[in-house]
Amino acid sequence: MEISNGASYRFFARWAEFSYQKAIWIVLLAIVVAGLSIVYTANNLGVHTDTTDMLSEDVPFRVNHKRYKEAFPQYEDALLLVVDAPTPEQAHAAAKQLTVHLQSDNKNFYEASYLSGDPFFEQNGLLFKSIPELEKITDRLAAAQPLIARLAENPALDTFASVLTEAVDEIRSGRNLDLEAVFNGVSSTLAARLSGSPHALSWQVLLDGDKQVDQYQELILARPKHDYAQLFAAEQSLRAVREAAADIGLTQDAPENLRITGEAALAYDELHSAMRGAQDAGVLALVLVIVVLLLALRTFGAIMTVMFSLVLGLLLTAAFATAAVGHLNLISIAFAVLYIGLGVDYAIHFLLRHEEIRRTGQPVIKTLPTASGDIGRALMICAVTTAIGFYAFIPTTYDGVAELGLISGSGMVISLLVTLTIVPALQRFFPIRPIKPLISIRPVHTALEWPLHARRSVYVITAVAVLFSVIALPQIRFDYNLLNLNDPRTESVETFRDLLENAEDSPWHIIALANNRAETERLVEQLSGLPEVDKVVTILDFVPGDQEEKIRLIEEMAMTLGPISFVPVTQNEIDVQAQRIALQNLYNTLSGFLVEHPAHAAANAARDLQVSLTNLLSQLDNLSDRNAQVALLYAIDRDLLELLPVSIHRLQLALEATPFSQQDVPESVKIHWQSSDNIYRIAIYPTENINDNDALKRFVRAVQKIAPGATGVPVISLEAGKAVVDAFIHAFSLALIGVVVALLLLLRSVKSTVLVLVPLLLAALFTGAVTVLLDVPFNFANVIALPLILGIGIDCSVHMVHRSRNAGEAYENLLYTSTARAIFYSALTTMAGFGSLIFSQHQGTASMGLLLLAGVILTLICVLVILPVLLHASAHKKTG
């Protein structure tokens, strides 16, 4: 079908001629408009980093979450502060200090809560233990009371060793004392000091009868004041936490350690790593794109033309986004990526077509209108169909994608106008010269001719690839786990994953709301029976049972402990010899005990303690300097006895527990579980580690069957992922319909429309299969690559079909034209520009780069290998 001299040809030819003649004024106007766009955008464009705002508020799970936020606002965008320490006493003290500090910082925090440090739990904590646990604590307290009483009077190492020696003698004489926990605690403390990794002895753990582990942690919930007008909304509050930690001594040298995670910290680190990765990749991308443009255009003027039109179009699109939407979000900000990937194509196609026509030797004033008239219609079809594809995202419930569709679709129209106006104008100053084609290189020549001689092989390989891709389609998956987008080496991600491993206290748990106590009890009963649920916690669990029996045991403990008070610790001169004798006596007594009672329950613990004492005495003997001996004994004294007064004080406070009812639960605790309008909060914890997507889906779906209105991060992640998938299916369906209709109207040929669509559909099918092959699931970040691949596929196919129809190029000539070269170099710039994202630390961005690279390569193969064969077959059939 010949359309070269039609109305559209004359229109675009005159457009280019006008731009060329008025070049100086057009360029000056473009510079002024660019400057105004920069000022307008900088002063008016906002950035929204709240990811939940990217989904329509009418989506059911957002409605549920909104209700939860209104009832319990303290859990919205919170920081979860994890205080690690070698002992529970140190972790508790540091967490309490930090909480008090944050509570006084009204500038950066609405509130901060540390429930374990609430006076209510400090006084009544023993009531939440079981009766068998309380009985064991009572027995151990009875065994340790003489030791504690003596140490209260004289808290020194030799006193400690002497009292422990006497206790071992008591066992040897037949008294039943449970000293296994004491032996284990002292042994591990001595061993830690001698190995160079010292930690204090936890008397709390000792009385509980547990074995002291390396780390204990306490959790603080802080609700920061975010400034969403800033790109990093949580930056100031995170800095405030670090400063507060430094003020109370939580430094790198301290035994306690602070780690920050939670929704706000994860969002901050995600955005920070994404931008840092984009900056690093941007430098590499710029270098690679310039190299590709040098290969394609070979002249500085042509490269400047492409870059000027690209920057101008990008600024105009940003100004349009400012006027039409007013802000960018974490999805719509990708319009820049899409524009760069597609906008550069138009200028390359225009310039290479002009370069091809200039080989006739005619002046620019003659060749430029010809090139514009010839390529203008193809560029218009590309812009219209691509814009329709993007506009199809507008009706979706995913507001972030809808805004991206509006901005990017309009950006394609802007790119077309800029290319048809600015590129011809700049040809007056930087006229492109004929380029020696790269096709003269023999290996490239051979590669391009292969499909010509192996059309049947192309059909067979394509059929096999289609079959494989169809089989792989059901295995395409979407990764709902938001953690998998982040840089796994950031503190917030590492800390959150550590917390997730403990399913009993998983920070990712589901929240259900109940309107009254009866509904709460019913939901608890039903949810507790699910195999996917580990436990269910409500305000009702804060009133323990068997309080009378527990109070009796607590009173017995108080009588056993007695009125102990510690004398002020003074730094007396250590008598090295006296200390050594006391330690040696303990060693000797343990030896006698092991000889007499080798099968005793505490025998293994006693052996370990004996080994630790042997090592300590040996090290003392090896230290010839008395000051070094004194320093070692001081350190051992501090390790063993420093926390004893603190632990006993906390125990004495807990021994003041009194019976209480639901009405006695203080407001500081109640607000986390029962709102002011009597809505009950139900926390549902998973049995499995829901860092795994399958476990996440099982957990959420099981809970939703009983509590359809449940919310929380697991529900939001799963439902948001489903909303994204549904939105993209809906959008791509609309886009396909819109593109088909547009192509039929613009090309006026069913056959040409089919030829344009076949490579696009094949590339989409193959890209889906590649995600399965490479085990790269779709996620909230890389799904943005799909519109770009769609746009590139449409552009490339339209140019090839248009060139074939417009110029009547045979297969043998089509791949040697400027159109094929422009398609190749345009795709190469996209691959160079966005393939560099693979090296980003942000896993979502890296996966987007990988998906883009694979998708563009497959599109290139479909357009430059499969489509020419189809065009040849179509032309051959027509001729026949």
Side-chain angles (χ1 to χ4, degrees):
M1 180 180 177
E2 182 64 42
I3 61 173
S4 296
N5 296 317
S8 63
Y9 175 91
R10 292 192 297 274
F11 174 76
F12 290 115
R14 289 170 182 169
W15 188 340
E17 187 175 358
F18 174 82
S19 296
Y20 184 81
Q21 291 173 348
K22 308 295 182 181
I24 185 67
W25 296 108
I26 288 175
V27 172
L28 288 175
L29 179 63
I31 294 172
V32 171
V33 171
L36 293 174
S37 297
I38 292 173
V39 174
Y40 174 69
T41 303
N43 292 331
N44 297 279
L45 184 63
V47 178
H48 287 183
T49 55
D50 189 349
T51 54
T52 58
D53 285 343
M54 292 190 293
L55 290 161
S56 170
E57 290 186 354
D58 298 327
V59 177
F61 78 88
R62 282 211 66 192
V63 174
N64 296 332
H65 191 62
K66 183 179 179 182
R67 183 189 175 208
Y68 174 56
K69 287 194 299 183
E70 291 172 350
F72 301 96
Q74 64 268 38
Y75 290 100
E76 179 64 15
D77 289 332
L79 289 173
L80 191 60
L81 312 180
V82 181
V83 178
D84 298 308
T87 67
E89 293 96 328
Q90 291 169 307
H92 175 83
K96 195 164 185 178
Q97 274 187 287
L98 183 58
T99 303
V100 171
H101 209 98
L102 297 179
Q103 287 172 340
S104 64
D105 185 1
N106 296 322
K107 177 183 176 182
N108 295 300
F109 300 94
Y110 292 106
E111 59 185 305
S113 61
Y114 168 44
L115 287 182
S116 298
D118 191 279
F120 174 76
F121 288 111
E122 288 189 316
Q123 179 178 335
N124 297 296
L126 289 175
L127 288 173
F128 291 91
K129 292 185 177 293
S130 66
I131 290 177
E133 287 176 325
L134 290 176
E135 290 174 341
K136 289 180 180 179
I137 294 174
T138 303
D139 292 341
R140 294 188 189 97
L141 185 58
Q145 195 280 337
L147 175 63
I148 296 171
R150 290 272 296 277
L151 289 173
E153 297 172 358
N154 183 20
L157 178 59
D158 54 348
T159 304
F160 181 82
S162 299
V163 176
L164 198 53
T165 301
E166 293 171 9
V168 176
D169 282 331
E170 290 285 336
I171 297 177
R172 294 174 66 186
S173 64
R175 186 177 175 184
N176 184 21
L177 292 177
D178 185 4
L179 293 179
E180 183 178 5
V182 177
F183 290 163
N184 282 327
V186 175
S187 174
S188 65
T189 303
L190 294 177
R193 169 58 63 179
L194 297 176
S195 65
S197 304
H199 65 71
L201 172 63
S202 171
W203 288 81
Q204 177 182 327
V205 173
L206 189 149
L207 291 175
D208 284 341
D210 299 328
K211 189 170 183 179
Q212 189 167 341
V213 296
D214 293 334
Q215 287 288 336
Y216 294 86
Q217 64 185 207
E218 296 289 345
L219 304 179
I220 303 170
L221 186 71
R223 184 186 173 205
K225 293 181 178 179
H226 290 324
D227 182 6
Y228 286 112
Q230 301 297 319
L231 186 59
F232 294 98
E235 185 172 25
Q236 180 56 39
S237 55
L238 287 169
R239 187 183 300 116
V241 172
R242 296 292 183 192
E243 291 173 354
D247 289 343
I248 66 171
L250 283 179
T251 61
Q252 291 184 344
D253 299 330
E256 303 88 355
N257 176 52
L258 173 67
R259 295 182 292 164
I260 305 176
T261 186
E263 289 182 45
L266 289 167
Y268 172 84
D269 281 341
E270 179 181 9
L271 185 58
H272 193 270
S273 64
M275 294 195 68
R276 186 173 64 247
Q279 290 170 359
D280 295 342
V283 176
L284 177 61
L286 180 62
V287 173
L288 292 176
V289 167
I290 290 176
V291 170
V292 173
L293 289 176
L294 279 172
L295 288 173
L297 304 173
R298 315 285 179 85
T299 62
F300 174 78
I303 293 175
M304 286 297 297
T305 300
V306 172
M307 298 307 293
F308 183 82
S309 62
L310 180 64
V311 172
L312 177 62
L314 194 59
L315 291 174
L316 291 175
T317 305
F320 170 81
T322 306
V325 182
H327 62 264
L328 297 176
N329 56 54
L330 293 180
I331 298 294
S332 63
I333 202 170
F335 89 88
V337 174
L338 299 178
Y339 186 91
I340 294 170
L342 294 172
V344 73
D345 294 0
Y346 295 176
I348 290 176
H349 275 282
F350 192 106
L351 287 172
L352 287 182
R353 182 63 178 135
H354 186 212
E355 178 273 334
E356 188 177 37
I357 295 175
R358 285 214 66 196
R359 294 177 192 171
T360 60
Q362 294 180 316
V364 174
I365 190 62
K366 296 289 186 183
T367 58
L368 188 62
T370 304
S372 182
D374 184 53
I375 197 70
R377 180 176 173 82
L379 292 178
M380 181 194 69
I381 294 172
C382 290
V384 170
T385 53
T386 306
I388 289 173
F390 284 135
Y391 285 148
F393 288 80
I394 296 175
T396 66
T397 57
Y398 197 3
D399 290 348
V401 172
E403 292 172 5
L404 173 67
L406 174 63
I407 297 169
S408 297
S410 303
M412 293 303 98
V413 177
I414 291 171
S415 180
L416 174 68
L417 298 176
V418 168
T419 299
L420 294 176
T421 305
I422 297 300
V423 173
L426 290 176
Q427 285 298 284
R428 191 177 186 94
F429 309 105
F430 307 111
I432 194 166
R433 295 178 176 83
I435 302 169
K436 184 179 180 181
L438 192 63
I439 198 65
S440 60
I441 300 176
R442 184 171 183 80
V444 179
H445 184 88
T446 304
L448 289 180
E449 288 192 340
W450 173 78
L452 172 66
H453 306 295
R455 295 182 189 124
R456 182 169 297 179
S457 297
V458 171
Y459 287 130
V460 171
I461 293 172
T462 303
V464 171
V466 168
L467 180 62
F468 168 79
S469 300
V470 170
I471 295 173
L473 278 181
Q475 300 177 55
I476 294 176
R477 57 193 177 90
F478 190 93
D479 186 359
Y480 305 98
N481 193 333
L482 296 171
L483 278 184
N484 291 339
L485 299 181
N486 292 18
D487 181 354
R489 294 165 294 184
T490 59
E491 178 187 73
S492 61
V493 175
E494 288 182 342
T495 303
F496 208 88
R497 289 194 189 280
D498 288 345
L499 295 175
L500 284 177
E501 290 179 2
N502 180 13
E504 182 181 350
D505 249 344
S506 174
W508 269 4
H509 52 266
I510 293 178
I511 301 298
L513 301 180
N515 295 317
N516 51 59
R517 178 169 181 152
E519 184 182 357
T520 301
E521 292 174 341
R522 177 181 61 80
L523 286 173
V524 169
E525 182 180 359
Q526 293 177 332
L527 292 167
S528 298
L530 295 175
E532 294 85 1
V533 173
D534 177 59
K535 65 177 180 179
V536 181
V537 180
T538 72
I539 187 68
L540 306 180
D541 296 304
F542 289 86
V543 181
D546 302 318
Q547 290 192 36
E548 291 184 5
E549 177 64 17
K550 292 177 180 178
I551 289 293
R552 185 188 63 79
L553 289 170
I554 291 171
E555 290 174 348
E556 184 179 335
M557 287 185 214
M559 292 179 61
T560 302
L561 183 62
I564 291 178
S565 60
F566 286 80
V567 299
V569 178
T570 56
Q571 194 76 4
N572 297 323
E573 181 69 22
I574 282 188
D575 186 339
V576 175
Q577 189 59 28
Q579 300 277 22
R580 197 188 187 293
I581 291 172
L583 293 171
Q584 186 65 56
N585 288 339
L586 176 58
Y587 175 86
N588 295 336
T589 304
L590 286 171
S591 298
F593 164 70
L594 290 172
V595 171
E596 297 166 4
H597 304 279
H600 193 278
N604 289 333
R607 290 188 186 93
D608 291 340
L609 178 55
Q610 192 179 37
V611 171
S612 296
L613 287 170
T614 301
N615 294 335
L616 173 58
L617 293 169
S618 175
Q619 187 160 331
L620 276 173
D621 292 339
N622 291 334
L623 294 172
S624 56
D625 181 26
R626 183 180 181 282
N627 290 334
Q629 293 177 326
V630 169
L632 176 59
L633 291 172
Y634 265 135
I636 295 293
D637 185 294
R638 187 171 59 252
D639 290 345
L640 292 173
L641 302 175
E642 182 181 28
L643 298 181
L644 178 58
V646 176
S647 300
I648 298 305
H649 175 72
R650 289 186 63 194
L651 176 60
Q652 288 172 330
L653 183 59
L655 293 177
E656 297 176 4
T658 57
F660 63 90
S661 63
Q662 189 76 53
Q663 289 71 30
D664 298 320
V665 177
E667 189 64 25
S668 59
V669 176
K670 187 181 294 184
I671 59 171
H672 294 280
W673 300 95
Q674 188 175 353
S675 68
S676 56
D677 53 351
N678 287 323
I679 294 177
Y680 287 74
R681 176 175 175 266
I682 305 171
I684 308 154
Y685 290 84
T687 303
E688 303 175 90
N689 181 351
I690 57 174
N691 193 37
D692 174 73
N693 276 313
D694 293 333
L696 171 70
K697 188 178 293 187
R698 285 193 297 269
F699 177 52
V700 171
R701 296 306 181 212
V703 171
Q704 284 181 325
K705 288 179 181 178
I706 295 173
T711 186
V713 175
V715 175
I716 292 172
S717 298
L718 190 62
E719 294 297 346
K722 184 176 180 295
V724 171
V725 172
D726 292 344
F728 270 89
I729 291 174
H730 182 208
F732 274 103
S733 300
L734 291 176
L736 185 60
I737 295 171
V739 167
V740 169
V741 172
L743 288 173
L744 287 172
L745 291 174
L746 294 170
L747 296 176
R748 302 176 187 178
S749 167
V750 174
K751 183 177 71 174
S752 296
T753 299
V754 171
L755 287 170
V756 169
L757 291 175
V758 167
L760 174 64
L761 297 176
L762 286 176
L765 181 65
F766 296 158
T767 301
V770 165
T771 66
V772 177
L773 184 65
L774 299 179
D775 193 27
V776 180
F778 287 108
N779 55 48
F780 291 95
N782 66 24
V783 74
I784 305 303
L786 295 179
L788 180 53
I789 296 173
L790 171 70
I792 292 173
I794 293 174
D795 287 3
C796 294
S797 297
V798 165
H799 281 297
M800 288 292 282
V801 172
H802 178 270
R803 183 63 183 265
S804 177
R805 295 176 64 209
N806 196 47
E809 300 283 2
Y811 173 84
E812 290 79 358
N813 299 323
L814 191 58
L815 291 178
Y816 295 86
T817 63
S818 64
T819 299
R821 284 190 291 130
I823 288 172
F824 175 76
Y825 287 120
S826 296
L828 211 57
T829 57
T830 302
M831 287 189 285
F834 303 114
S836 59
L837 294 175
I838 293 174
F839 303 104
S840 172
Q841 295 172 328
H842 184 263
Q843 298 303 295
T845 303
S847 67
M848 180 171 70
L850 180 59
L851 190 61
L852 269 172
L853 187 62
V856 173
I857 290 174
L858 291 169
T859 300
L860 204 58
I861 292 172
C862 291
V863 171
L864 294 183
V865 176
I866 298 175
L867 180 57
V869 172
L870 294 176
L871 287 170
H872 177 272
S874 174
H876 183 73
K877 182 178 179 181
K878 183 178 179 180
T879 303

